[in-house]
């Protein structure tokens, strides 16, 4: 661990397409923490993809699984955790994250979200027409929640995951 840093866990929060997973992997490497991808954990436990889970069991079932997995993750330390974009919808999840470590909000403009998510097949909440409108309404609904849980905020727009991760390390040391 870098001298002066005592973060039990680092949680990356933010919209789909903000770069949480790729940045998280880089950040874990830089900090020598383990890397945890929440969506990956959920898919592993469910034995199927998030899209199929949404279709077959519905969003509420998925949110239950997500909260349970988060509780398990919060019992461990020295992890960089890439969360699903909707994790902050539940007050219980926000409290768990704030108690178990430091949340960093990866903020991304609507233009860049659209750019990154166009053609994405594995985001059930964005399926169908009107990608930009859907993203805009999710972002408007969630912005305050991301900000309320996060200690740091970083704009990811044109940055590579490596650049974002390096910037986070710098901010954490400051
Ligand atoms: C969701 C984001 C997804 C995944 C699920 C729901 C959301 O994760 O958890 O499709 O509500 O924003 P990513 O943010 O990793 O795409």
């Amino acid at each position: 661990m870098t001298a002066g840093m005592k973060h039990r866990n680092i949680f990356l929060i933010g919209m789909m397409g903000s770069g949480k997973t790729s940045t998280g992997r880089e950040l874990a490497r830089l900090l020598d923490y383990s890397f945890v991808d929440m969506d990956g954990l959920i898919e592993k436990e469910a034995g199927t993809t998030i899209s199929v889970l949404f279709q077959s069991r519905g969003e509420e079932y998925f949110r239950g699984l997500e909260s349970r997995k988060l509780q398990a993750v919060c019992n461990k330390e020295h992890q960089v955790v890439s969360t699903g974009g909707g994790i902050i919808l539940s007050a219980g999840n926000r409290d768990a994250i704030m108690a178990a470590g430091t949340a960093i909000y990866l903020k991304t403009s609507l233009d860049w979200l659209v750019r990154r998510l166009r053609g994405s097949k594995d985001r059930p909440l964005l399926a169908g027409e009107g990608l930009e409108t859907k993203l805009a309404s999710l972002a408007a609904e969630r912005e305050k929640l991301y900000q309320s849980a996060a200690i740091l905020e970083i704009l990811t727009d044109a940055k590579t995951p490596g650049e974002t991760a390096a910037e986070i390390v710098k901010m954490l040391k400051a």
Side-chain angles (χ1 to χ4, degrees), residues 16 20 39 50 54 62-63 83-86 123-125 142:
M16 296 171 258
K20 300 181 298 287
D39 284 345
I50 306 268
F54 266 69
F62 168 80
R63 296 293 172 206
T83 60
R123 263 88 172 196
L125 292 179
R142 294 174 176 184

Side-chain angles (χ1 to χ4, degrees), residues 19-34:
K20 300 181 298 287
T21 304
S22 41
T23 302
R25 216 172 263 126
E26 283 295 315
L27 183 61
R29 201 177 52 79
L30 291 177
L31 296 175
D32 199 19
Y33 275 27
S34 38

Side-chain angles (χ1 to χ4, degrees), residues 9-45:
N9 294 295
I10 310 269
F11 294 89
L12 298 184
I13 62 175
M15 288 285 290
M16 296 171 258
S18 61
K20 300 181 298 287
T21 304
S22 41
T23 302
R25 216 172 263 126
E26 283 295 315
L27 183 61
R29 201 177 52 79
L30 291 177
L31 296 175
D32 199 19
Y33 275 27
S34 38
F35 171 65
V36 175
D37 176 46
M38 293 276 312
D39 284 345
L41 282 185
I42 294 165
E43 290 189 330
K44 208 167 149 198
E45 173 160 324

